[in-house]
Amino acid sequence: MRISRRNLMISAAAASAASAFARAAFAELPPLAKKDTYKVGFAQTESNNPWRLAQTKSMQDEAAARGWQLVYTDAAGSAAKQVADVNSMIAQGVDLIFLAPREEKPLIPAIMAAKGAGIPVILLDRNVDQSLAQAGVDYVTFIGSDFIEEGRRVAEWMVTNAGGKSKILQLEGTTGSSPANDRKKGFDDYIAAHPEFVLLASQTGDFARDKGRQVAETLLQAHPDADIIYAHNDEMAIGAISAVEAAGKVAGQDVMILSIDGGKEIVQLIIDGKVAAVCECSPLFGPKAFDTAVAYANGEEIPPKLINPDRFFDASNAAEMLATAY
Ligand code: GYE
């Protein structure tokens, strides 16, 4: 097609309308004033595992390095408490809130309350239901991993390396949380195209070690022929190893263990031969979170998602990677 002057004018008008729309959506967000130092909130969801502790430390270290005041709360595994924590940060007049929303839906009122109070929110590590709140409109952005891709990568590794094993138990993360929903979707969608693999059962272990152990024990009793366990995080995978051993089986031989997170303990378990493969999900958010807040204050356009790159660990690289795992 020959590009006429008229066509050019139409496409220029469309582009400027689109960017005006983007600006209007963006303008709905509360601004962040440019200052030398800030008082920011970090609403953590729980502290019952090394991933959470590493994330909290990363945020605290970054606040200290920049001389920012950090108002830290721990919801202790309760979405209702996390909503109350955000409300208390609003009452304390923080400049911005970093929120790790425990579940996709219950934290929406907290995001809307912050927005209503003129306080921008940056979501860390878990996302919220996109039909109820949107990046660039209700909160600034989501910083975290691509959880669908994490689940897909574990499934892809398994399909290539299962060596005849095929009967899977899945330990899901916290019900209603974005990583649990998406790690299941990425994995399940991939194996749907590989009918030689059978998902015998899939149940939540709440991202917790002991719950993971209990659920794996029950599932192994109901499905003694299971030979693969895919856990949505390291904690449940480590719990599942205890369950496998309690059933008189050998993890890494009778049952292949797969996980997501990639902390030091699990990377060592790969070296020990008990765990087969792990997709990383880094908890070290501090530098990126604070940089994003500064970029926002400077008026830079922030993409709706800032995706962290994840490495992948198996027997081929675990020893070499151990020192750099969180
Ligand atoms: O995998 C898990 C943690 O939301 C990505 O939550 C995070 C997950 C992480 O408790 O270990």
Side-chain angles (χ1 to χ4, degrees):
M1 187 186 81
R2 203 171 69 88
I3 300 176
S4 67
R5 193 174 135 72
R6 185 178 139 72
N7 276 342
L8 263 180
M9 281 167 64
I10 290 172
S11 56
S16 104
S19 83
F21 175 78
R23 272 199 309 280
F26 207 65
E28 277 195 49
L29 281 172
L32 180 63
K34 271 195 191 186
K35 295 198 284 185
D36 290 339
T37 178
Y38 294 94
K39 175 175 162 184
V40 293
F42 173 42
Q44 179 58 288
T45 171
E46 55 211 356
S47 298
N48 61 345
N49 73 47
W51 195 99
R52 291 284 150 202
L53 297 177
Q55 185 190 35
T56 298
K57 184 174 184 309
S58 173
M59 294 295 287
Q60 287 169 338
D61 287 352
E62 193 64 23
R66 294 182 191 237
W68 293 17
Q69 190 185 338
L70 188 70
V71 176
Y72 169 73
T73 56
D74 175 0
S78 157
K81 177 169 186 308
Q82 200 173 25
V83 172
D85 290 343
V86 170
N87 284 328
S88 117
M89 288 174 184
I90 295 170
Q92 292 174 62
V94 297
D95 295 308
L96 175 141
I97 296 172
F98 294 111
L99 169 64
R102 181 169 159 81
E103 290 146 59
E104 285 196 315
K105 287 193 172 74
L107 270 300
I108 300 289
I111 292 173
M112 296 309 178
K115 181 183 179 183
I119 300 171
V121 171
I122 292 178
L123 299 184
L124 291 189
D125 93 72
R126 292 190 186 175
N127 213 331
V128 292
D129 188 320
Q130 296 297 293
S131 68
L132 301 174
Q134 272 147 31
V137 180
D138 303 308
Y139 59 90
V140 178
T141 186
F142 160 80
I143 307 177
S145 292
D146 180 340
F147 306 122
I148 294 182
E149 179 63 7
E150 290 176 343
R152 194 201 63 75
R153 288 174 78 185
V154 172
E156 183 183 47
W157 189 96
M158 177 192 74
V159 166
T160 316
N161 299 283
K165 292 190 178 3
S166 65
K167 299 179 206 74
I168 308 162
L169 300 176
Q170 179 169 200
L171 300 177
E172 300 172 21
T174 297
T175 304
S177 72
S178 65
N181 291 341
D182 291 354
R183 287 170 183 172
K184 178 165 176 56
K185 182 175 171 29
F187 184 88
D188 290 2
D189 286 355
Y190 191 90
I191 63 166
H194 298 272
E196 66 276 27
F197 288 86
V198 189
L199 186 57
L200 298 175
S202 186
Q203 210 172 297
T204 183
D206 205 15
F207 280 133
R209 189 178 295 211
D210 202 51
K211 185 80 190 293
R213 181 190 58 77
Q214 288 169 31
V215 173
E217 259 178 36
T218 309
L219 294 181
L220 283 167
Q221 275 159 20
H223 305 278
D225 54 337
D227 52 17
I228 297 175
I229 295 180
Y230 162 48
H232 285 185
N233 78 345
D234 289 358
E235 288 297 291
M236 295 188 295
I238 294 166
I241 294 173
S242 303
V244 166
E245 289 169 351
K249 298 185 178 180
V250 179
Q253 288 178 30
D254 303 319
V255 183
M256 167 181 274
I257 310 282
L258 304 165
S259 173
I260 296 174
D261 271 356
K264 272 207 164 50
E265 192 175 352
I266 207 106
V267 177
Q268 182 60 52
L269 286 164
I270 299 177
I271 298 169
D272 298 345
K274 293 192 178 189
V275 171
V278 179
C279 185
E280 185 184 39
C281 179
S282 173
L284 307 179
F285 283 75
K288 197 163 174 180
F290 285 67
D291 280 350
T292 304
V294 171
Y296 183 62
N298 287 340
E300 288 171 33
E301 210 158 311
I302 313 291
K305 282 185 177 179
L306 295 168
I307 299 299
N308 293 337
D310 294 325
R311 298 176 296 174
F312 200 93
F313 307 129
D314 64 11
S316 70
N317 64 356
E320 165 202 339
M321 299 287 206
L322 181 63
T324 59
Y326 72 86

